[in-house]
């Protein structure tokens, strides 16, 4: 493994009485693609959201590129700019055009010139295949298109690491692949990625490592081939049995 | 009805109402936005200040605020908004109190608008590194304003009609003239009719305008 970019150390979190993250320890190397899978309620989304502090943690530390996540305020905003996030429900800014969605961060956070930001945004939109929709509003696009715009919006910030929180779960089946294709090409280019997903095909094709979570703990982690063909824990075998038989 | 319109300057009185309403509305929008941002901020102390403002000014009758501005603030504390001209001082205090009182309602209308904005919008704004202020200004408030146009419209219409309360401190507006007319001419149905129609002319088109505006600017999701 290369030098760790994201390090989680003894991370704990409760939702009320529910212990959703139990002593999580994890390192993600530069350029590594980690797929997090597990049954719903296992804490995998919470883990993903904790990495850019959309969820607070109660104990433990999370460091990104050597810097510990700050509590709140400007320093946190600064750090978040380096961490891309793609949500299950896309979350494009509903009152802004596709182009403005992609340029908002570069202009306001990175202080780029408008022309410069728009040029780069168009390149990114071209890359994810929605450049011709640049002047439309999010509600006029299909789910798959919106999610690809969301990926372009994150890429526009030149993030060090990208988090994907079930990026294809809200999509119609025929749109899933267009999003996964973009993600696979990102992975091939060496982007560091943490992907929470149920797409086993993506895990097989693009992941360096699969992390299996259950009940707030990391139960086991391995390479995709090893994990899918030779899972060690009963819990993982049971889970794989349920999802792979159909 | 004819002689009321010819003997008294009804138009000037309604012009007073319009000026009072415009000043009050601008003030209320500014105050309401500030208080809404306080209430929505992550800082506990700011939330308390915002909540205190709304609970205080929404629950004190406007009449009391008006009377307090003159009897309390001007006469006892000597706070004057125009020390040269008494009627101008009264008028400015009336506009201020309209703004202060309706600011609380604008704040709540905006907060209800913020609630129409899905949580994901704020999360996405934070995730690309916008600060609290930036995500408010560029993502949340623009959508919240669009979502709260209808309740803000209702508040502004209420403000226009509530400007009549300024008559208790003698500010120059329609209700003040109406009490003068009633004193001189006796209470007649036509007196009420003139002023009622005046207010309907002011508020009815405004209501239609806000309804169509909220429909046109609605954020498509």
């Amino acid at each position: 493994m290369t030098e760790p970019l994201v390090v989680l150390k003894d991370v704990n979190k409760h939702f009320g009485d529910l212990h959703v993250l139990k002593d999580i320890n994890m390192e993600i190397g530069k350029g590594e693609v980690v797929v997090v899978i597990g049954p719903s309620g296992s804490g995998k989304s919470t883990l993903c959201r904790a990495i850019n502090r959309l969820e607070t943690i109660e104990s433990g530390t999370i460091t990104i590129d050597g810097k510990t996540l700050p509590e709140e305020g400007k320093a946190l905003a600064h750090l978040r700019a380096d961490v891309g996030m793609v949500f299950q429900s896309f979350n494009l800014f509903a009152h802004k055009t596709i182009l403005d969605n992609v340029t908002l961060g570069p202009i306001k956070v990175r202080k780029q010139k408008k022309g410069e930001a728009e040029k780069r945004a168009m390149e990114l939109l071209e890359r994810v295949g929605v450049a011709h929709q640049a002047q439309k509003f999010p509600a006029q696009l299909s789910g798959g298109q919106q999610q690809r715009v969301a990926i372009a919006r994150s890429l526009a910030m030149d993030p060090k690491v990208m988090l994907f929180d079930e990026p294809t779960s809200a999509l119609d089946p025929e749109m899933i692949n267009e999003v996964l294709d973009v993600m696979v090409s990102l992975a091939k280019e060496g982007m560091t990625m943490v992907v929470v997903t149920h797409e086993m095909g993506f895990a097989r094709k693009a992941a360096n490592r699969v992390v299996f979570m259950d009940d707030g703990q990391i139960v086991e982690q391995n390479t995709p081939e090893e994990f899918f063909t030779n899972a060690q824990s009963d819990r993982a075998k049971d889970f794989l049995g349920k999802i792979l038989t159909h | 009805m004819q002689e009321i319109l010819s003997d008294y300057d009804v138009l000037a009185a309604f012009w007073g109402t319009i000026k009072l309403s415009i000043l009050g509305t601008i003030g209320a929008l500014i105050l309401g936005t500030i208080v809404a941002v306080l209430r929505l901020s992550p800082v506990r102390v700011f939330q308390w200040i915002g909540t205190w403002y709304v609970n205080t000014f929404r629950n004190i009758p406007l009449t009391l605020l008006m009377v307090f501005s003159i009897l309390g603030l001007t006469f006892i504390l000597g706070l004057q908004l125009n020390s040269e001209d008494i009627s101008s001082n009264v008028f400015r205090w009336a506009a201020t109190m309209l703004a202060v009182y309706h600011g609380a309602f604008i704040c709540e209308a905006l907060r209800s608008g913020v609630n129409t904005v899905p949580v994901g919008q704020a999360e996405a704004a934070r995730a690309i590194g916008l600060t609290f202020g930036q995500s408010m200004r560029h993502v949340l408030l623009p959508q919240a304003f669009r979502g709260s146009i209808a309740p803000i419209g209702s508040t502004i219409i209420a403000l226009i009609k509530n400007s009549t309360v300024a008559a208790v401190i003698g500010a120059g507006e329609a209700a003040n003239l109406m009490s003068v007319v009633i004193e001189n001419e006796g209470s007649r149905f036509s007196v009420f009719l003139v002023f009622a129609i005046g207010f309907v002319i002011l508020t009815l088109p405004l209501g239609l305008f806000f309804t169509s505006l909220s429909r046109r600017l609605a954020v498509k999701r």
Side-chain angles (χ1 to χ4, degrees), chain A residues 131-151:
Chain A
H132 56 295
Q133 316 268 28
Q135 297 309 325
K136 290 192 180 167
F137 285 91
Q140 295 170 287
L141 270 59
S142 73
Q145 290 171 330
Q146 289 193 49
Q147 194 61 301
R148 285 182 282 149
V149 173
I151 294 173

Side-chain angles (χ1 to χ4, degrees), chain A residues 49 52 54 74 77 80-81 83 85 87 91-96 104-105 108-109 111 139 153 157, chain B residues 42 119-131 134 138-140 142-143 146 219-221:
Chain A
R49 291 162 55 84
N52 70 351
L54 285 180
K74 286 234 158 60
R80 275 176 178 151
V83 181
M85 176 103 190
F87 300 87
N91 295 348
L92 294 181
F93 305 130
H95 64 305
K96 288 188 177 292
L104 183 67
K108 297 298 169 194
V109 180
K111 310 291 178 202
R153 178 174 68 179
M157 300 300 291
Chain B
V119 199
Q121 296 283 312
E123 289 188 342
R126 283 188 282 156
I128 59 169
L130 296 180
T131 60
Q134 285 176 323
H138 301 295
V139 178
L140 297 182
Q143 294 189 52
R146 291 160 184 233
V219 181
K220 307 240 175 357
R221 299 201 188 278

Side-chain angles (χ1 to χ4, degrees), chain A residues 3-245:
Chain A
E3 58 182 295
L5 186 62
V6 181
V7 180
L8 289 86
K9 201 153 177 287
D10 303 322
V11 172
N12 276 288
K13 178 173 180 72
H14 291 79
F15 281 133
D17 287 338
L18 191 68
H19 200 167
V20 280
L21 295 178
K22 295 176 184 165
D23 291 319
I24 300 287
N25 284 289
M26 190 168 149
E27 290 190 351
I28 297 151
K30 207 167 252 171
E32 199 183 7
V33 177
V34 176
V35 164
V36 184
I37 64 170
S40 51
S42 60
K44 54 193 192 311
S45 272
T46 311
L47 177 74
C48 184
R49 291 162 55 84
I51 295 177
N52 70 351
R53 216 171 193 281
L54 285 180
E55 299 288 353
T56 56
I57 55 172
E58 283 139 20
S59 65
T61 55
I62 298 176
T63 54
I64 294 171
D65 209 7
K67 279 181 252 149
T68 308
L69 274 187
E71 288 276 300
E72 265 302 331
K74 286 234 158 60
L76 179 62
H78 204 72
L79 200 132
R80 275 176 178 151
D82 289 337
V83 181
M85 176 103 190
V86 175
F87 300 87
Q88 180 176 352
S89 48
F90 330 132
N91 295 348
L92 294 181
F93 305 130
H95 64 305
K96 288 188 177 292
T97 63
I98 297 307
L99 186 63
D100 290 343
N101 261 277
V102 182
T103 58
L104 183 67
I107 292 174
K108 297 298 169 194
V109 180
R110 298 273 190 240
K111 310 291 178 202
Q112 288 179 14
K113 296 236 160 44
K114 192 162 185 263
E116 189 186 324
E118 286 184 350
K119 188 166 161 280
R120 170 105 165 94
M122 287 311 292
E123 285 166 16
L124 289 167
L125 289 173
E126 190 73 54
R127 182 186 162 170
V128 298
V130 282
H132 56 295
Q133 316 268 28
Q135 297 309 325
K136 290 192 180 167
F137 285 91
Q140 295 170 287
L141 270 59
S142 73
Q145 290 171 330
Q146 289 193 49
Q147 194 61 301
R148 285 182 282 149
V149 173
I151 294 173
R153 178 174 68 179
S154 289
L155 286 174
M157 300 300 291
D158 294 316
K160 291 175 180 160
V161 51
M162 282 187 71
L163 312 172
F164 293 82
D165 185 9
E166 305 203 21
T168 56
S169 300
L171 294 176
D172 291 338
E174 75 265 32
M175 291 170 186
I176 290 176
N177 279 331
E178 63 188 52
V179 172
L180 290 180
D181 287 346
V182 173
M183 290 169 60
V184 170
S185 79
L186 271 180
K188 294 246 161 73
E189 283 165 28
M191 175 62 77
T192 309
M193 294 162 67
V194 178
V195 185
V196 174
T197 187
H198 298 293
E199 295 298 327
M200 300 306 147
F202 173 80
R204 280 212 162 98
K205 209 187 293 179
N208 300 108
R209 178 160 46 128
V210 173
V211 171
F212 176 74
M213 283 186 75
D214 188 32
D215 198 23
Q217 287 168 310
I218 294 179
V219 178
E220 68 173 287
Q221 40 186 323
N222 217 327
T223 60
E225 306 84 64
E226 199 53 28
F227 177 77
F228 287 119
T229 53
N230 187 21
Q232 300 298 310
S233 63
D234 292 340
R235 198 58 203 87
K237 281 181 199 160
D238 181 47
F239 178 74
L240 288 172
K242 278 178 189 150
I243 57 165
L244 295 178
T245 47

Side-chain angles (χ1 to χ4, degrees), chain B residues 62-142:
Chain B
L62 182 57
T63 316
L64 286 189
L65 286 175
M66 290 285 180
V67 171
F68 176 72
S69 73
I70 297 306
L71 293 188
L73 296 174
T74 296
F75 287 176
I76 296 173
L77 296 175
L79 287 173
Q80 297 187 32
L81 296 180
N82 186 340
S83 49
E84 260 102 73
D85 181 356
I86 295 170
S87 71
S88 160
N89 177 55
V90 166
F91 189 83
R92 287 177 187 183
W93 269 120
T96 305
M97 285 306 167
L98 278 174
V100 166
Y101 177 81
H102 292 90
F105 291 89
I106 296 283
C107 164
E108 293 306 276
L110 273 177
R111 280 208 317 138
S112 77
V114 167
N115 289 337
T116 68
V117 184
V119 199
Q121 296 283 312
E123 289 188 342
R126 283 188 282 156
I128 59 169
L130 296 180
T131 60
F132 172 75
Q134 285 176 323
S135 52
M136 272 288 165
R137 196 158 66 240
H138 301 295
V139 178
L140 297 182
L141 285 179

